[in-house]
Structure formats: structure tokens, C-alpha cells
């Protein structure tokens, strides 16, 4: 058994014993009524004494041959009375012990009540500090809340909720942060532009330090150690062992860092969210680092805006991931990200470079209507189930070299405005490219379509490299110079190790991904 396993077992045992002690402490003593207690004491003394006398033969005739029968009888009575007196003393001792236990438990209740009142007063004081107009006082309030949560597991989720609520308050970062935003962001301020609202800048800089501290406190208490290392003491769980939930809906976050790395290059493991992480509509100014973060519950980043670089390298979404209509104004790096549940990126906008190389979509992947304005890298991406890219817009170069579509692939109506490279892309099931448009240079020769592809109504510029047996229609002079893509006379053409077919009557059900 490894050291990590022993540490985890010890931690579980410690929590179990602590809960047991807490239940015993919280269990009040019952108040005994005087008359049942009196009757029980009298009955015990009299009954015990009578039983002792009967066993000693007080009421039995004295055997013959006893030298002094009267003395023997007297000794029997004295012994029986001594037993009765001993029982009375025992009852008295038990009542005294019970009274002592009552007094000690009452003292424990008083101490617990005093502790609860103290914790409540500290919590209220810390919460009031957050409402101060002085940044130093607000910082003190944050640290006081973090200390309360560290010492009191019952308060941890409440502390997290308060810090999240503080970050959800309206806030505009100082101009230094806005200048680091991507140029395509609506919150970008050019280096040579006038400083907006100069009188507000000092207060915004002070508030920035408070918010960076709040973000850092959240990150420190959400990080687990890597591998089999035991949980650090700073990792927060609730009283029942549950992990924290995040609610940062619409929050303004600056240089948000929930990655696996801490400051000074030390590695504190991976941030893990086993509950619900709600970042709906959050505004990420500066660089957002979620690299290798693990979301074990539902992750909602719908309509979120990343105004700088977004680092989600190796992030793992074990539940549903909602990034629908999210906007990435800078470089979006999702290399190796894994979506174990349904992934919704429908309508998402990537204004800068989008890197989804080697990303894995284990369930339904919805990128319908997504807009990629810069270079899009999907090389080596794995789509294991339904891949829905219908209507997706690729304004820049699109690289799908080696991408694999294991389930039904729907690229109907997708538009590739510049170079599109599908070399060695593999479509293991039916591929729907109905109405797809290739406005720039495109390479489809190396693509593998194992079960056919429907390219009816698809259009491309004459320079597109099509598989052997395919060509262009006679509709010259169409808008944009696009011409219809038509198949060969036999409908199925095989060249070397590639297969391409279209319009077959045996096309499978798009919803069928079996076999």
C-alpha cells in the first residue's frame, strides 16, 4: 500500500472519528423525572438488600450444631444491610457522576455556543470589511474570511460564495490591463490612446489588488496535489467531504489563474471542481489560465468573453461543457483539451488564432455556427461521437490534418474562406458536406471517407484539389467564382489507400453511430 493511500485512509478515519465525537457532543442528556428516579433508587436498595439477606439465609432456620445461633443470625442481618448500604452508595455515586456529566456537557454546550457566536461575529466583521471604501481593509476582510474557512469546514462553501459574490460586483479594470487585452477586444485600449476616466484610475488599481487576492485565495483552496500525493491542507472540502462550487456569473476577472502551477514556479497540482462551476458571461481581462484544470461537474462558460489569451491546454471537462456563443478575442489554446461529456461550442467566436490540436471530444461535439476568424488548427483532433460543424465559418486558414471523425460528421453548409487542409483526415462513418463552400485553396485528396460522403450542392473555386474522379460543374461565372462539385460517372472512385463516395442509396442514418 502506497504512502498516498495510507494518508488518504488516515484522513478519512480522522474525519469519521471527528464526526462521531461531534455527534456525541451535540447529543443532549435527558432530564430524569424525580419520582421514577426515586422509586428506582428505593427499589434497588431494598430489593438488593432483601436479595442479599435471602441468599445469606436471614429468614432460614439456623442449622443445628452452631455454637452461637443468635450471633450468626445477627451477622447475616448486618451483612445484608451492608449490601443494601453499598447499593445505596452506588446509586448515589451514579447520580453524582450523571450530575457531573450533565455539568460537563452543559459547559461544552456553553463553549460551543460561545465559539459559534465568536465565529459569527468574526464572519460578520470580515464581511463588513469587504464593504469598506479602503482597499487595505477589504484585503484584511478577505484574509479573515479565508482563515475562517480554513479552520471551519462548515463555513468553507459560504466563504467561497462570499468571495465569488464580491468578484461578481461590477468592475472596470485600470487602463494598464485594458491595454493588454487583444486588439480585437471591445475592451482594448490602444497604447497611444487617451486614458479613459483618469480620475478613476487610482481607485481601480487599488481594487485590482483586492480582486487579484480574492482570485488567488480561491485558486489556492481549489488545487489538489498531482499524482498519488495526499491532499494539501489548503485544499477545501465541506463537512461531508464535498468539494467547492463556484458561481462567477458575469464576474470581471483579471489574469484569472486556475492552472496547475502556483507562483514562483512551484507545482501545486491541478485545480479541480467536482461541483458546479458557473462562469456564464464572465469577462476575462488579460490572460486567462485554465491549463490542466479539471471540471468534474457541469462547467458553464456560455457567453463568456476572453479579452486576452485563453489557455485551456489539457483542461478536462468530465461533465457537460457549455461554451456556447463564448467569444475568444485573443489566442485560444485548447491543445489536448478533453471533453468527456457533451461539448457545446455552438456559435462560439474565435477572433484570433484557435488551436484545438489533439483535442478529444468523447461525446457530442456541437460547433454549429462557430466562427473562426483567424488561423484554425484542428490537426489530430478526435471526435468520437456526433461532430456537428454545420454552418461553421472558417475565415482564416483551417488545418484539419490527421483529424479523426469516428462518428457521424456533419459539415453541411460550412464555409472555408481561405486555405483548408484536410490531408489525412479520416471520416470513419458517414460524412455530410452538403452545401459546403470552399472559397480558397483546399486540399481534399488525402482525406479518407470510409463510409461515403455527400457533397451535393457543395461548391468550390476551380483550384481546389479534389479526389480522383471528381470535378467541377459547368456553372462558370457564379458569384465568388464558385462552381458545383460533381462526382465521377461511377459515383465511387478508389485511388491508392483512399475511398470516396457520395450520394449512395445506402447512406446510413445520420443519428446511427453504432458499428
Amino acid at each position: 500500500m502506497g504512502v498516498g493511500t495510507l494518508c488518504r485512509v488516515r484522513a478519512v478515519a480522522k474525519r469519521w472519528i471527528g464526526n462521531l465525537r461531534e455527534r456525541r457532543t451535540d447529543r443532549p442528556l435527558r432530564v430524569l423525572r424525580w419520582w421514577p428516579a426515586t422509586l428506582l433508587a428505593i427499589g434497588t436498595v431494598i430489593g438488593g438488600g432483601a436479595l442479599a439477606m435471602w441468599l445469606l439465609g436471614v429468614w432460614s432456620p439456623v442449622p443445628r450444631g452452631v455454637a452461637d445461633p443468635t450471633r450468626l443470625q445477627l451477622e447475616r442481618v448486618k451483612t445484608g444491610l451492608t449490601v443494601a448500604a453499598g447499593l445505596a452508595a452506588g446509586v448515589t455515586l451514579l447520580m453524582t457522576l450523571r450530575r457531573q456529566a450533565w455539568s460537563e456537557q452543559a459547559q461544552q454546550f456553553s463553549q460551543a455556543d460561545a465559539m459559534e457566536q465568536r465565529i459569527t461575529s468574526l464572519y460578520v466583521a470580515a464581511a463588513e470589511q469587504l464593504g469598506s471604501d479602503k482597499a487595505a481593509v477589504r484585503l484584511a476582510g478577505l484574509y479573515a474570511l479565508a482563515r475562517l474557512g480554513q479552520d471551519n469546514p462548515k463555513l468553507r462553501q459560504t466563504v467561497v460564495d462570499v468571495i465569488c459574490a464580491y468578484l461578481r460586483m461590477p468592475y472596470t479594470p485600470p487602463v494598464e490591463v485594458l491595454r493588454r487585452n487583444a486588439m480585437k477586444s471591445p475592451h482594448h485600449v490602444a497604447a497611444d490612446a487617451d486614458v479613459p476616466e483618469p480620475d478613476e484610475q487610482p481607485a481601480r488599481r487599488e481594487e485590482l489588488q483586492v480582486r487579484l487576492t480574492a482570485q488567488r485565495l480561491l485558486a489556492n483552496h481549489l488545487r489538489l496535489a498531482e499524482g498519488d500525493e495526499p491532499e494539501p491542507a489548503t485544499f477545501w472540502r465541506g463537512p461531508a467531504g464535498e468539494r467547492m462550487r463556484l458561481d462567477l456569473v458575469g464576474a470581471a476577472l483579471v489574469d484569472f489563474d486556475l492552472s496547475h502551477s502556483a507562483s514562483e514556479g512551484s507545482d501545486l497540482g491541478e485545480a479541480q471542481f467536482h461541483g458546479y462551476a458557473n462562469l456564464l458571461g464572465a469577462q476575462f481581462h488579460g490572460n486567462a489560465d485554465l491549463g490542466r484544470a479539471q471540471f468534474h461537474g457541469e462547467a458553464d462558460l456560455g457567453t463568456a468573453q476572453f479579452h486576452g489569451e485563453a489557455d485551456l491546454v489539457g483542461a478536462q471537462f468530465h461533465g457537460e461543457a457549455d461554451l456556447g456563443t463564448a467569444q475568444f478575442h485573443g489566442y485560444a489554446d485548447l491543445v489536448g483539451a478533453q471533453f468527456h461529456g457533451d461539448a457545446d461550442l455552438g456559435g462560439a467566436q474565435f477572433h484570433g488564432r484557435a488551436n484545438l490540436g489533439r483535442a478529444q471530444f468523447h461525446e457530442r461535439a456541437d460547433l454549429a455556427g462557430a466562427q473562426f476568424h483567424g488561423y484554425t488548427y484542428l490537426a489530430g483532433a478526435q471526435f468520437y461521437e456526433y461532430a456537428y460543424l454545420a454552418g461553421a465559418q472558417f475565415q482564416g486558414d483551417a488545418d484539419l490534418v490527421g483529424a479523426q471523425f469516428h462518428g457521424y460528421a456533419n459539415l453541411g453548409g460550412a464555409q472555408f474562406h481561405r486555405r483548408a487542409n484536410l490531408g489525412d483526415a479520416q471520416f470513419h462513418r458517414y460524412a455530410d458536406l452538403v452545401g459546403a463552400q470552399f472559397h480558397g485553396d483546399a486540399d481534399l485528396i488525402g482525406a479518407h471517407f470510409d463510409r461515403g460522403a455527400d457533397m451535393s450542392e457543395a461548391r468550390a473555386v476551380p483550384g481546389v484539389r479534389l479526389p480522383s474522379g471528381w470535378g467541377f460543374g459547368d456553372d462558370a461565372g457564379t458569384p465568388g467564382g464558385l462552381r458545383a462539385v460533381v462526382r465521377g460517372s461511377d459515383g465511387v472512385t478508389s485511388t491508392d489507400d483512399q475511398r470516396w463516395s457520395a450520394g449512395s442509396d445506402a447512406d446510413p442514418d445520420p443519428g446511427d453511430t453504432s458499428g
Side-chain angles (χ1 to χ4, degrees):
M1 184 177 296
V3 177
T5 303
L6 288 175
C7 292
R8 284 194 291 270
V9 171
R10 185 174 59 183
V12 171
K14 186 177 180 181
R15 287 197 301 271
W16 183 82
I17 293 174
N19 293 336
L20 182 60
R21 288 177 177 173
E22 184 177 357
R23 288 196 295 270
R24 288 180 176 177
T25 303
D26 293 341
R27 185 182 300 167
L29 290 173
R30 291 186 177 182
V31 179
L32 293 178
R33 298 183 180 180
W34 67 270
W35 61 268
T38 303
L39 291 179
L40 179 62
I42 294 174
T44 302
V45 174
I46 294 177
L51 178 62
M53 290 182 181
W54 177 75
L55 293 174
L56 292 170
V58 173
W59 295 291
S60 301
V62 179
R64 293 180 181 181
V66 176
D68 191 353
T70 303
R71 182 180 177 80
L72 177 60
Q73 195 72 5
L74 182 59
E75 290 294 334
R76 289 177 175 178
V77 173
K78 288 172 62 179
T79 304
L81 292 177
T82 301
V83 171
L87 290 173
V91 171
T92 303
L93 179 61
L94 288 175
M95 296 301 294
T96 303
L97 290 176
R98 190 179 188 282
R99 189 180 301 112
Q100 179 67 21
W102 179 279
S103 176
E104 291 179 357
Q105 187 135 348
Q107 184 179 2
Q108 289 180 351
F109 280 132
S110 298
Q111 292 177 348
D113 184 64
M115 181 62 68
E116 289 293 335
Q117 291 182 3
R118 179 174 178 273
I119 291 174
T120 302
S121 61
L122 290 175
Y123 170 75
V124 172
E128 289 178 350
Q129 285 179 311
L130 289 180
S132 173
D133 57 351
K134 297 180 179 180
V137 178
R138 297 196 296 273
L139 282 171
L142 284 174
Y143 284 111
L145 282 174
R147 182 177 179 181
L148 277 176
Q150 184 66 31
D151 297 336
N152 302 276
K154 290 182 179 180
L155 283 179
R156 288 176 178 175
Q157 185 60 59
T158 302
V159 170
V160 170
D161 291 340
V162 171
I163 296 177
C164 289
Y166 184 85
L167 292 174
R168 292 198 303 269
M169 299 295 288
Y171 174 64
T172 301
V175 66
E176 294 85 358
V177 175
L178 300 181
R179 282 173 175 165
R180 289 194 292 111
N181 285 338
M183 294 182 61
K184 296 182 180 180
S185 166
H187 293 279
H188 172 73
V189 175
D192 56 351
D194 294 335
V195 176
E197 300 175 317
D199 295 339
E200 300 293 331
Q201 296 302 314
R204 292 177 181 177
R205 294 187 184 98
E206 292 183 352
E207 175 62 10
L208 175 61
Q209 298 305 314
V210 180
R211 286 177 168 263
L212 291 176
T213 300
Q215 294 175 184
R216 186 175 65 255
L217 290 174
L218 283 179
N220 289 342
H221 295 304
L222 292 171
R223 283 195 176 99
L224 276 175
E226 260 190 299
D228 294 332
E229 294 295 324
E231 290 183 0
T234 55
F235 182 73
W236 278 8
R237 291 180 181 269
E242 70 276 12
R243 290 175 170 84
M244 300 294 103
R245 302 181 305 274
L246 285 183
D247 184 1
L248 291 168
V249 175
L253 307 171
V254 178
D255 293 331
F256 195 55
D257 184 2
L258 286 177
S259 67
H260 66 286
S261 299
S263 60
E264 300 180 0
S266 58
D267 192 353
L268 292 184
E270 303 171 358
Q272 297 205 14
F273 312 92
H274 283 246
Y276 181 64
N278 194 344
L279 292 156
L280 179 69
Q283 303 285 325
F284 295 88
H285 296 276
N287 298 327
D289 192 350
L290 298 171
R292 295 178 62 190
Q294 295 196 29
F295 298 84
H296 288 263
E298 183 179 351
D300 191 350
L301 286 88
T303 69
Q305 294 198 32
F306 295 84
H307 297 284
E309 294 186 3
D311 184 355
L312 283 88
V313 174
Q316 295 198 28
F317 299 84
H318 296 272
E320 293 184 4
D322 186 359
L323 285 85
T325 66
Q327 295 196 30
F328 298 84
H329 296 283
Y331 176 39
D333 193 351
L334 285 86
V335 171
Q338 294 195 28
F339 299 85
H340 297 275
D342 291 344
D344 183 5
L345 284 83
Q349 295 192 27
F350 297 84
H351 296 275
R353 179 179 177 181
N355 191 344
L356 284 85
R358 303 190 308 277
Q360 296 188 22
F361 298 86
H362 294 269
E363 298 292 337
R364 176 187 173 96
D366 187 356
L367 285 84
Q371 296 189 27
F372 300 88
H373 296 274
Y375 174 62
T376 304
Y377 189 74
L378 281 160
Q382 301 272 345
F383 298 86
Y384 290 97
E385 294 293 337
Y386 184 25
Y388 193 52
L389 286 84
Q393 299 275 337
F394 297 87
Q395 303 289 342
D397 292 347
D399 190 347
L400 283 81
V401 174
Q404 295 199 30
F405 298 83
H406 299 272
Y408 173 65
N410 188 346
L411 284 81
Q415 296 192 23
F416 298 85
H417 292 271
R418 298 187 65 179
R419 181 176 179 269
N421 190 352
L422 279 76
D424 292 327
Q426 297 190 25
F427 296 81
H428 298 283
R429 296 194 61 82
Y430 184 66
D432 184 353
L433 284 86
V434 175
Q437 295 187 14
F438 297 88
H439 294 263
D441 185 21
D443 186 359
L444 296 169
I445 294 179
H448 298 256
F449 295 87
D450 294 338
R451 296 205 177 180
D454 188 352
M455 288 194 63
S456 57
E457 301 181 13
R459 292 182 174 274
V461 295
V464 171
R465 290 180 291 277
L466 298 174
S468 177
W470 284 80
F472 299 96
D474 297 331
D475 49 349
T478 55
L482 298 179
R483 299 174 64 178
V485 177
V486 295
R487 59 177 177 173
S489 59
D490 58 355
V492 178
T493 304
S494 177
T495 59
D496 298 331
D497 61 343
Q498 70 185 30
R499 291 189 297 150
W500 175 284
S501 63
S504 172
D505 295 335
D507 289 342
D509 182 2
D512 178 18
T513 59
S514 61

